[in-house]
Amino acid sequence: MKKILIATGGSGGHVIPSLSIYDALKDDFEVKISTDLRGSKFINNDNYHYSLIDVPNIFSNLLLFPYNTIKFFISIIKSYKYLKSNNFNILISTGGYMSLPLCFASNLLNVKIYIFEPNSVIGRTNKLMLNFAEKIICYEKNLKGISEKFSNKIYLVKPLLRKEIYKSKKNENIMVAEKKKY
């Protein structure tokens, strides 16, 4: 069975799509999520297997830039060890600076990298990994911020929604909201 790691940044905009991807893949693959402390706030411990990887934001404080740069390179080494010890076959990056060390380490280990970009403009981390990505999974063909040479890597999907939304009955949530008004 293939092993997939979903590397996600620390905001809800990164984590929520990664949870949807996890839900879609978990029945057919061994799937884990990696995030930082910020991202863990969006993940239910009972429903998802995830790992915390501490990655500094290099540019958060210019005075700490040298220190954060060293910590960043250490996080690449830790990511390399983590990927190697878990024998992941595929990395899916939903972006964010937290996923960058895992992307670099995946490239060193020849782990296939897939980028998921839910925005109409590609993020910085995903943009850095374009050369190494197998596919760029996104919602629209004209993704801003990438050159034409990567257009053959674009794989279009419909917007991802949480499984709960697909399972809910039509108008059920509207009726619940209406009852609360009265």
Side-chain angles (χ1 to χ4, degrees):
M1 180 178 284
K2 289 200 179 206
K3 295 177 80 173
I4 299 174
L5 178 64
I6 303 168
T8 183
S11 73
H14 294 286
V15 178
I16 301 305
S18 72
L19 298 177
S20 296
I21 294 168
Y22 180 101
D23 288 337
L25 298 175
K26 71 179 179 182
D27 294 334
D28 299 317
F29 303 96
E30 187 177 329
V31 186
K32 288 188 178 180
I33 295 175
S34 66
T35 189
D36 59 8
L37 193 56
R38 298 171 309 132
S40 68
K41 293 183 272 185
F42 299 99
I43 302 174
N44 181 330
N45 293 351
D46 298 330
N47 298 337
Y48 299 95
H49 302 287
Y50 73 94
S51 300
L52 288 175
I53 297 182
D54 182 33
V55 178
N57 183 344
I58 294 176
F59 302 106
S60 64
N61 183 336
L62 290 178
L63 294 174
L64 295 176
F65 181 77
Y67 174 72
N68 284 339
T69 302
I70 293 167
K71 278 182 69 177
F72 184 80
F73 282 107
I74 291 169
S75 67
I76 294 172
I77 294 166
K78 288 180 179 179
S79 296
Y80 182 93
K81 289 179 181 177
Y82 177 72
L83 289 166
K84 192 160 179 82
S85 68
N86 286 282
N87 293 318
F88 289 106
N89 307 99
I90 296 171
L91 176 86
I92 300 173
S93 170
T94 64
Y97 68 85
M98 185 262 130
S99 63
L100 195 55
L102 284 159
C103 289
F104 285 148
S106 292
N107 186 51
L108 292 172
L109 290 166
N110 293 317
V111 171
K112 289 184 179 182
I113 301 170
Y114 292 86
I115 292 171
F116 176 74
E117 183 57 67
N119 301 307
S120 60
V121 178
I122 193 161
R124 287 179 291 196
T125 296
N126 283 345
K127 190 171 187 171
L128 282 171
M129 298 312 299
L130 286 174
N131 282 321
F132 309 107
E134 297 283 321
K135 292 285 179 194
I136 306 159
I137 304 163
C138 58
Y139 300 144
E140 59 183 78
K141 185 80 173 154
N142 299 320
L143 188 60
K144 293 177 182 73
I146 66 169
S147 69
E148 187 66 32
K149 73 178 184 178
F150 296 114
S151 63
N152 63 327
K153 290 186 177 189
I154 291 178
Y155 181 79
L156 297 176
V157 296
K158 292 181 181 178
L160 300 177
L161 299 174
R162 300 293 307 269
K163 271 191 172 182
E164 297 84 28
I165 293 172
Y166 293 113
K167 290 179 181 178
S168 69
K169 294 178 185 163
K170 190 175 183 179
N171 296 327
E172 182 180 63
N173 292 335
I174 294 171
M175 290 175 16
V176 169
E178 288 295 321
K179 284 182 184 179
K180 287 182 180 179
K181 283 184 183 177
Y182 301 105

